[in-house]
Amino acid sequence: MTLLVKSDSVAKSFFCLVALFSIASLAVPGQNNARNSGSWSGILVSSSCNADEAFFESPECNKLVPGAKLSLYDDTNRVMYDLEPQDKVVFSLGDTVTVRGTLDGDTIQMASIERMSIGLAVGQKAPAFSVRDQFGRVQTLETLKGRNGTVLLFFRSADW
């Protein structure tokens, strides 16, 4: 059995592929910039501390060490980030914060930093929601409300 291919169709296919890869390579630099911008949340620790020490909540991570700076420890990913410029860091060791800016290597060039609040303020009403439980039933704030109110606890597993 002999297979014949027209050289024109092979050449056209080749040039289409080259054009496609050329366009794709132009899009990548723009995507890298967008990928480096964002927000990161974590705990402010001493830069003299490493990610393992921060993960195990070593007291050394909350000590002021001469020459050390404040770093952000992201406990979700177990990553340490340097923060620049340091004069924008208005919080102290151990504070939980959200930092917005751009990531350059392992340094976040900060645009802003704010204290992270978790949960509702005392007396603040919970927002309406609906979610399926482990049995597939839809649960809402109203379906969960008991005679004395409701307590919702969201537990973060170590496996997440």
Side-chain angles (χ1 to χ4, degrees):
M1 181 172 165
T2 305
L3 180 63
L4 296 174
V5 178
K6 286 187 170 180
S7 61
D8 283 348
S9 65
V10 171
K12 286 179 184 176
S13 297
F14 174 75
F15 287 117
C16 287
L17 284 174
V18 169
L20 182 63
F21 284 117
S22 297
I23 292 169
S25 67
L26 292 175
V28 170
Q31 289 175 348
N32 285 340
N33 290 340
R35 201 174 313 140
N36 292 339
S37 296
S39 64
W40 297 264
S41 296
I43 302 165
L44 292 176
V45 296
S46 172
S47 64
S48 65
C49 180
N50 65 42
D52 288 334
E53 292 169 326
F55 177 77
F56 291 111
E57 299 178 1
S58 168
E60 300 302 313
C61 295
N62 289 322
K63 286 185 181 174
L64 291 174
V65 176
K69 298 179 177 183
L70 289 177
S71 294
L72 180 74
Y73 172 64
D74 178 347
D75 64 345
T76 304
N77 301 318
R78 291 183 67 176
V79 175
M80 295 278 289
Y81 296 105
D82 294 328
L83 299 173
E84 291 297 337
Q86 283 283 303
D87 61 349
K88 282 193 175 183
V89 183
V90 294
F91 302 106
S92 13
L93 287 170
D95 286 344
T96 305
V97 297
T98 298
V99 177
R100 287 177 179 73
T102 55
L103 185 61
D104 181 15
D106 61 354
T107 301
I108 300 172
Q109 296 295 326
M110 293 188 298
S112 68
I113 183 170
E114 59 190 40
R115 189 179 308 267
M116 193 166 81
S117 63
I118 299 174
L120 302 172
V122 174
Q124 186 178 0
K125 185 175 170 130
F129 68 88
S130 68
V131 64
R132 292 198 181 275
D133 65 15
Q134 69 270 30
F135 304 108
R137 296 181 299 226
V138 175
Q139 299 290 339
T140 66
L141 186 58
E142 291 304 314
T143 62
L144 295 172
K145 193 178 283 186
R147 201 173 46 202
N148 297 320
T150 304
V151 174
L152 292 177
L153 175 63
F154 296 93
F155 179 74
R156 180 178 161 199
S157 165
D159 295 5
W160 284 5

